[in-house]
Amino acid sequence: MESTSKPAGGRSGGEKKAVSKSVKAGLQFPVGRIARFLKKGRYAQRYGGGAPVYFAAVLEYLAAEVLELAGNAARDNKKNRINPRHLQLAVRNDEELGKLLQRVTIASGGVLPNINPVLLPKKTSSSADSDKASKPKSPKKA
């Protein structure tokens, strides 16, 4: 009997290693898992094969954007680790992310530092003092 290295089923060549959809798409986010969630979630009766790939790409982009801005906020505060406060500052200081997440509460995020200009003490200058001294505070009745 001859020993052949040909695999069963008539295929030629060795066994190929499985390549995930995420690797094919060049993404870090799991395309297969998102496809499974789309199926189980019953969001639609049918969806295209590219839908989970596109969805994973959008989620990956948003995550990268938020993490980059939060990392910058952490560096501004001289910290090496991102905490919820840095996420809050990153999201609220960015116009587009702030609009996307305007109804979202970030736990332990705090609020943006903001003081109404009316509450700040008035700045006095030498020219303003001389103008006030020459003009009466209330008009005189004739």
Side-chain angles (χ1 to χ4, degrees), residues 33-120:
R33 185 178 300 174
I34 290 172
R36 187 178 77 234
F37 289 157
L38 283 173
K39 285 180 191 173
K40 284 191 175 182
R42 305 290 290 168
Y43 301 107
Q45 288 181 344
R46 305 170 70 181
Y47 65 91
V53 177
Y54 194 93
F55 195 14
V58 169
L59 290 176
E60 185 173 319
Y61 169 75
L62 285 173
E65 189 74 19
V66 169
L67 284 173
E68 181 184 354
L69 293 172
N72 294 343
R75 194 177 337 108
D76 292 344
N77 290 326
K78 297 175 182 151
K79 305 284 185 192
N80 291 325
R81 190 175 295 158
I82 296 172
N83 60 30
R85 175 67 177 162
H86 302 138
L87 289 171
Q88 175 83 321
L89 292 172
V91 168
R92 302 300 171 215
N93 285 325
D94 187 72
E95 185 180 339
E96 292 173 341
L97 282 175
K99 189 175 180 183
L100 178 68
L101 302 172
Q102 67 185 10
R103 302 270 182 222
V104 174
T105 302
I106 297 175
S108 301
V111 296
L112 285 182
N114 183 29
I115 300 173
N116 195 324
V118 175
L119 300 174
L120 293 173

